[in-house]
Amino acid sequence: MPIDATQAYDDQNIFAKILRGEIPNNTVYENDHVLAFEDINPQAPYHVLVIPKGAYVSWDDFSENASDIEIAEFVRAVGHIGREAGHVEPGYRLMANTGINAHQEVPHLHVHIFAGRPLGPMLAR
Ligand code: 5GP
């Protein structure tokens, strides 16, 4: 079920549990403010989720309420991960589903990184 991006943060969401180490993940990158791990149901040969360690429901919440250092570390981490994985020259796609119409399912901000094949048009028609 898609979530409402304006809802309060639910600390029982699956990514909160990953951050607390309560369920496992395949980590590809971590720093003080950011964790990145493989998506459990990959939609491309390379499908990684990048999340802030802070409790933010969505891109909307994060962009309004996160500190400058959290935002800078997050944006730099996304770029770093794509670069280190060799995806800049062939190309990659970022996606941050926000709220109901975007079908956001997990109520903790996550940016998807997709790569590893031609990804086709931006949206299904
Ligand atoms: P959304 O639709 O919210 O943008 O994407 C949520 C993503 O989280 C989906 O791609 C889904 O496969 C992934 N996901 C859901 N639960 C888990 C989990 O427990 N572990 C991992 N690694 N990914 C998950």
Side-chain angles (χ1 to χ4, degrees):
M1 279 289 289
I3 65 99
D4 176 351
T6 67
Q7 71 184 43
Y9 189 80
D10 170 11
D11 68 5
Q12 294 306 306
N13 80 74
I14 197 85
F15 294 168
K17 291 179 180 178
I18 285 176
L19 284 168
R20 291 194 294 268
E22 295 169 7
I23 62 171
N25 74 90
N26 290 330
T27 299
V28 301
Y29 177 81
E30 182 170 15
N31 70 24
D32 286 350
H33 297 286
V34 177
L35 181 69
F37 51 90
E38 294 174 353
D39 195 289
I40 202 168
N41 182 25
Q43 305 294 311
Y46 182 93
H47 184 176
V48 161
L49 302 171
V50 188
I51 68 172
K53 290 187 172 177
Y56 300 102
V57 174
S58 67
W59 186 269
D60 180 69
D61 184 16
F62 185 69
S63 61
E64 179 148 19
N65 298 311
S67 68
D68 289 356
I69 184 74
E70 288 175 297
I71 291 171
E73 291 277 350
F74 188 77
V75 172
R76 288 194 186 282
V78 171
H80 173 81
I81 292 162
R83 196 177 309 117
E84 289 298 303
H87 295 311
V88 176
E89 189 273 324
Y92 64 89
R93 178 172 293 161
L94 305 180
M95 189 168 77
N97 293 321
T98 304
I100 293 166
N101 277 0
H103 216 276
Q104 181 181 356
E105 291 191 331
V106 179
H108 183 113
L109 170 63
H110 46 287
V111 167
H112 299 254
I113 307 178
F114 301 104
R117 64 168 168 80
L119 295 164
M122 188 167 59
L123 294 172
R125 293 173 195 274

